[in-house]
Amino acid sequence: MFPEDDGYHIRWFTPSVEVNLCGHATLATSHVLYNHLDYSGKMIRFHSRSGDLSVRREGDYYLLDFPSDKPETVEKDEFLLKAFDRNPVEVLKGKADFLVVFDDEHYVREVVPDMDMIKKLDAEGVIITSRSEGEFDFVSRFFAPRLGIPEDPVTGSAHTVLIPYWSDRIGKDTLAARQVSNRGGVLKCRYPGDRVEIGGRACTYLEGIIYL
């Protein structure tokens, strides 16, 4: 990240590649700007490979304004079917990721997918999801072994696909979500149309100095 025009230029890297969009890193960057670098504006603007993004604070949440990635229904890929031991209800695809829908929250929480099969897919990653049986509207997990991320704990980019999908299915433009990985998290979601708003919390756990 570095200052640019009326905001900051931001880039994101996994252990192996540069990616087009990353929610938790944008949230963390905003937290550092607000809490450690004395940023005082009402909104932070970021310029990125995915266009202009913005973040604002609302209580203890950071609200990320990202482009929507509404998925389209596709045929069930043979490698995708082999990656899971249960037939999905529906398979869709956004710009980069498959969205695989199941009808069982417990299955989404507990399944151990075949990473070798996921690596063979023509996609950056695979999102799996279902309606929630509890206090949330939906749950999800995200796998991207081709990017060096077997499973991501909480994934903002995946929710640019999930929010328009579940908003259409449930008939709500404000949604509560939980990513149910081992290090999962809660997200406040809103779907105004061509954009999505993703809200999450952040806290400082480590400070240090790197000498180059």
Side-chain angles (χ1 to χ4, degrees):
M1 179 200 73
F2 57 86
E4 182 181 80
D5 299 331
D6 60 343
Y8 299 88
H9 188 88
I10 191 169
R11 297 171 69 186
W12 309 278
F13 298 86
T14 75
S16 56
V17 298
E18 183 174 5
V19 294
N20 292 324
L21 188 63
C22 181
H24 60 266
T26 307
L27 184 149
T29 302
S30 302
H31 175 78
V32 170
L33 284 168
Y34 276 121
N35 293 279
H36 299 280
L37 298 179
D38 301 320
Y39 184 85
S40 59
K42 293 183 178 179
M43 179 184 293
I44 305 172
R45 298 186 184 279
F46 292 106
H47 309 293
S48 77
R49 288 173 64 166
S50 290
D52 291 339
L53 317 171
S54 66
V55 181
R56 60 185 173 86
R57 284 197 295 188
E58 186 176 282
D60 59 349
Y61 274 82
Y62 297 92
L63 303 180
L64 286 65
D65 182 281
F66 279 5
S68 170
D69 184 9
K70 191 171 184 177
E72 300 290 338
T73 301
V74 295
E75 293 185 6
K76 297 176 180 178
D77 185 284
E78 64 172 315
F79 297 125
L80 192 62
L81 294 176
K82 290 178 181 178
F84 301 95
D85 58 1
R86 180 177 297 189
N87 195 35
V89 173
E90 193 173 7
V91 175
L92 306 93
K93 194 176 183 184
K95 293 182 178 69
D97 302 317
F98 279 105
L99 176 62
V100 184
V101 184
F102 294 99
D103 59 2
D104 183 349
E105 178 181 349
H106 179 75
Y107 181 80
V108 170
R109 287 177 176 271
E110 300 298 328
V111 65
V112 179
D114 187 326
M115 293 296 172
D116 289 334
M117 291 297 107
I118 291 179
K119 286 180 181 179
K120 294 179 180 181
L121 293 169
D122 182 20
E124 291 185 359
V126 173
I127 310 159
I128 64 171
T129 188
S130 76
R131 283 295 304 267
S132 174
E133 298 167 5
E135 61 185 296
F136 302 100
D137 290 299
F138 64 90
V139 298
S140 68
R141 291 169 69 191
F142 179 67
F143 310 96
R146 288 180 62 178
L147 303 182
I149 306 170
E151 180 169 4
D152 196 40
V154 186
T155 316
S157 61
H159 282 78
T160 67
V161 179
L162 286 158
I163 292 169
Y165 173 82
W166 283 116
S167 179
D168 285 351
R169 296 303 188 277
I170 299 173
K172 296 168 58 177
D173 59 10
T174 300
L175 302 158
R178 182 170 182 85
Q179 194 154 332
V180 290
S181 65
N182 288 334
R183 291 174 50 212
V186 174
L187 304 95
K188 293 170 59 175
C189 308
R190 194 169 72 87
Y191 183 45
D194 62 339
R195 309 284 293 181
V196 297
E197 188 175 82
I198 307 166
R201 295 187 177 99
C203 64
T204 302
Y205 74 94
L206 178 68
E207 295 184 58
I209 298 173
I210 298 175
Y211 294 97
L212 300 177

